[in-house]
Amino acid sequence: MSDPKGFLKYPRQTPPYRPVEERVFDFQDVIHSEVFTQEQTREQATRCMGCGVPFCHNGCPLGNLIPDFNEAVYHEDWGLAYQLLAKTNNFPEFTGRICPAPCEHACVLGINQDPVAIEHVEQAIIETAFARGLVQPRPPVHRSGKKVAVIGSGPAGLAAADELNRKGHTVTVYEKDRYPGGLLRYGIPDFKLEKWIVERRIRLLEAEGIVFQCGVEIGLDLTTDELLRHNDVVLLCIGAARPRALNIPGHELPGVHYAMDYLTQNNRRVTGESFAEPDILAAGKHVVVIGGGDTGSDCVGTANRQGALSVAQLQYRPRPADERSDYDPWPLMPMTLTTSSSHEEGCARAWEVQTKSFVSAPDGRVKGLVVADLIWEKDSTTGRYVFREKPGSEREIPCDLALIAIGYRGVAPGAIWEQLDLLPDERGLIPGEDYRTAHPRVFVAGDARRGQSLVVWAIAEGREAAAVMEEQMKVKM
Ligand SMILES: Cc1cc2nc3c(=O)[nH]c(=O)nc-3n(C[C@H](O)[C@H](O)[C@H](O)COP(=O)(O)OP(=O)(O)OC[C@H]3O[C@@H](n4cnc5c(N)ncnc54)[C@H](O)[C@@H]3O)c2cc1C
């Protein structure tokens, strides 16, 4: 273990956020990582108690070897730290920046102190490894002769492609968008994840032999039959970004948009990619984000950077508690209130609010949103919480741009379903127990299988699916 008294000597510290008044004028990373020294990072790694039973392993879907890499950082052995991290995590440069860090919520120190800053240490290890030239393309020495097609280039597809390529299989990733990365590129804003970081990893994967065919929609531009004819196995990592609709009167008015359309367009704009759709911009507008999750929070940050007059975020559920309760004790992920960097930049957050109808201006565009407060109470017969409208609370709030971020309904419809004769489950996802679909040579992983989730889960799913596919190729083919 590192210094056994490290956690008594050093308080938790992480790199500072750039001042709000600076960062809201650009789309660069909100965190000033470069001002944090390696010595400071070492102190943070030293806080790790090297627990006999490291709950953090279990908290992390990838099972990252956290106490081990913390110890290597304590000894300033960055090479070893990188090797340990890369054993379980294909892309620490993504998770080290945007993971909600379930590992930290499971850290034993977190029972009565601030947990170890695991996410930051992870980012420092991978960036040090890149800076020292330790992350080099390592193409496989032998090719197996087996061919794999991965459909979708989000973190699940990339992780699976990486794993299978390392085993020597010839991997082609098909992506319908212009560039690879999935939601890493087109969903998550640059202020959380700058796109050169995605690009850097794609270049590495290409140098290791993975072929990316972008602008190819499987099902449309190429049938799954064609793919199966030319490949031994096929993996579906097509995400689950079909938005949930808000079917209230006026939802079709100009100025009412799905959050993902808004975020995708802005990500294209920031990287200078052209797009055909009319601009969706928040500048000079009263913006209302409907939905309290991460997608909504990303809309808040984007709208403020675009120069919105005001930004409100509405949520129909009650405000989460500040502290853990009996329902989410340590080491579970807490269901407590999260305040993102975007919220800190300016946002009126409201809970227990029902959206009733959009109101149009004389020019036909949206100009307002009728809302009402809700009262949540326990139903005495079912024991479930139900809501009712608070009498007299109905009112109109200004709204020139509404961004709907109320969740997802599973995998988008497309020809793939029909061509592979697949049926969605009750959540609109592709059933895939043990990552196998109903088709014997087709597998599924990532959000398409588990529903909208996290990058860390997508990587874990990609890795596990790759192991199952590898087994099948060894045994049956
Ligand atoms: C706005 C937003 C913010 C988020 N922020 C975070 C965060 O901060 N931290 C975090 O951990 N998670 C975050 N997530 C969740 C995370 O991005 C996803 O869980 C993760 O990207 C899922 O990975 P995936 O590979 O399964 O799917 P995706 O990333 O959705 O990739 C699927 C890919 O498949 C492609 N595709 C689909 N159909 C076809 C086809 N027929 N042919 C070819 N290609 C196809 C799509 O174009 C896409 O590129 C966020 C999600 C959203 C929407």
Side-chain angles (χ1 to χ4, degrees):
M1 80 182 277
S2 21
D3 180 353
K5 294 196 175 153
F7 69 98
L8 297 173
K9 290 184 195 159
Y10 308 110
R12 177 184 161 106
Q13 256 194 319
T14 49
Y17 282 74
R18 293 192 290 134
V20 170
E21 55 284 9
E22 175 192 313
R23 68 186 199 232
V24 288
F25 292 106
D26 63 53
F27 281 90
Q28 288 155 28
D29 195 336
V30 290
I31 297 177
H32 237 332
S33 305
E34 59 285 3
V35 303
F36 212 70
T37 63
Q38 277 196 343
E39 185 48 33
Q40 284 174 296
T41 299
R42 187 172 163 267
E43 285 175 7
Q44 292 308 306
T46 306
R47 294 185 71 238
C48 178
M49 301 189 294
C51 303
V53 180
F55 281 77
C56 52
H57 278 194
N58 210 36
C60 174
L62 290 165
N64 281 348
L65 306 170
I66 294 160
D68 307 72
F69 68 59
N70 277 329
E71 186 177 349
V73 170
Y74 168 70
H75 292 298
E76 297 180 84
D77 190 344
W78 293 89
L80 176 62
Y82 166 59
Q83 278 173 26
L84 290 164
L85 181 54
K87 263 183 202 285
T88 56
N89 189 344
N90 304 63
F91 314 125
E93 68 274 33
F94 305 151
T95 49
R97 287 178 166 87
I98 52 166
C99 193
C103 55
E104 293 188 11
H105 297 295
C107 172
V108 176
L109 197 51
I111 295 176
N112 63 358
Q113 282 198 36
D114 289 333
V116 176
I118 302 167
E119 187 179 14
H120 163 67
V121 174
E122 189 174 316
Q123 186 191 342
I125 294 170
I126 184 66
E127 288 310 324
T128 305
F130 270 112
R132 294 189 179 179
L134 303 176
V135 192
Q136 293 294 333
R138 289 198 171 78
V141 183
H142 300 291
R143 286 287 171 192
S144 67
K146 303 272 191 239
K147 292 173 87 181
V148 179
V150 175
I151 312 177
S153 66
L158 294 180
D162 190 19
E163 291 294 303
L164 291 163
N165 182 56
R166 283 181 202 187
K167 298 279 183 204
H169 309 306
T170 301
V171 182
T172 307
V173 178
Y174 293 91
E175 171 53 57
K176 71 179 162 67
D177 245 311
R178 203 177 303 169
Y179 298 109
L183 291 173
L184 295 169
R185 186 186 289 269
Y186 291 114
I188 299 170
D190 282 59
F191 54 81
K192 280 165 61 181
L193 183 68
E194 293 182 11
K195 301 312 163 214
W196 64 267
I197 299 161
V198 180
E199 202 53 53
R200 179 176 65 181
R201 180 57 68 172
I202 300 291
R203 296 286 85 85
L204 263 168
L205 296 174
E206 280 176 337
E208 289 174 337
I210 297 174
V211 174
F212 288 90
Q213 296 239 345
C214 293
V216 180
E217 179 165 350
I218 301 301
L220 214 67
D221 302 312
L222 206 58
T223 64
T224 53
D225 270 357
E226 284 169 278
L227 274 195
L228 283 162
R229 211 170 306 133
H230 296 112
N231 291 279
D232 294 279
V233 283
V234 171
L235 176 62
L236 305 174
C237 292
I238 57 178
R242 183 184 190 188
R244 190 175 298 284
L246 180 66
N247 289 321
I248 60 173
H251 69 93
E252 69 296 335
L253 289 175
V256 180
H257 298 274
Y258 285 118
M260 273 308 294
D261 293 341
Y262 174 67
L263 293 173
T264 302
Q265 184 183 91
N266 198 64
N267 281 14
R268 291 190 203 281
R269 187 180 290 114
V270 170
T271 52
E273 190 183 324
S274 61
F275 49 87
E277 304 80 30
D279 277 320
I280 312 171
L281 286 165
K285 295 189 179 137
H286 293 290
V287 178
V288 180
V289 178
I290 301 162
D294 286 346
T295 303
S297 157
D298 289 347
C299 289
V300 169
T302 304
N304 275 322
R305 279 163 181 74
Q306 289 183 346
L309 269 185
S310 68
V311 183
Q313 188 179 19
L314 311 181
Q315 159 76 288
Y316 81 105
R317 290 185 183 281
R319 179 188 183 283
D322 291 318
E323 302 289 336
R324 286 180 187 270
S325 71
D326 290 347
Y327 296 104
D328 56 351
W330 176 90
L332 300 180
M333 272 289 274
M335 309 303 284
T336 48
L337 177 71
T338 48
T339 298
S340 70
S341 60
S342 296
H343 293 129
E344 285 166 356
E345 291 158 4
C347 171
R349 301 171 82 180
W351 288 267
E352 297 178 78
V353 175
Q354 161 125 298
T355 49
K356 300 194 73 175
S357 60
F358 292 105
V359 183
S360 72
D363 66 0
R365 288 187 57 86
V366 67
K367 80 156 182 64
L369 175 60
V370 177
V371 298
D373 293 330
L374 294 175
I375 297 170
W376 283 83
E377 50 203 0
K378 209 174 194 171
D379 184 288
S380 54
T381 43
T382 65
R384 297 179 61 180
Y385 278 90
V386 289
F387 61 76
R388 64 183 167 85
E389 195 174 312
K390 188 171 173 183
S393 66
E394 186 172 301
R395 61 204 180 274
E396 183 182 324
I397 61 170
C399 173
D400 315 306
L401 174 63
L403 299 170
I404 297 167
I406 54 172
Y408 298 89
R409 285 196 300 143
V411 179
I416 283 186
W417 289 99
E418 233 168 78
Q419 289 174 9
L420 287 173
D421 217 4
L422 296 175
L423 288 176
D425 66 13
E426 67 285 355
R427 295 167 66 202
L429 304 171
I430 301 174
E433 202 181 322
D434 202 16
Y435 303 98
R436 295 168 196 276
T437 67
H439 188 292
R441 286 198 288 135
V442 179
F443 298 76
V444 59
D447 281 3
R449 193 185 84 101
R450 62 180 288 122
Q452 268 291 338
S453 182
L454 296 173
V455 169
V456 69
W457 271 112
I459 299 173
E461 291 241 331
R463 289 171 66 89
E464 285 170 18
V468 174
M469 292 163 79
E470 162 72 1
E471 227 20 67
Q472 167 146 334
M473 282 193 278
K474 262 203 281 192
V475 176
K476 295 197 181 153
M477 294 170 168

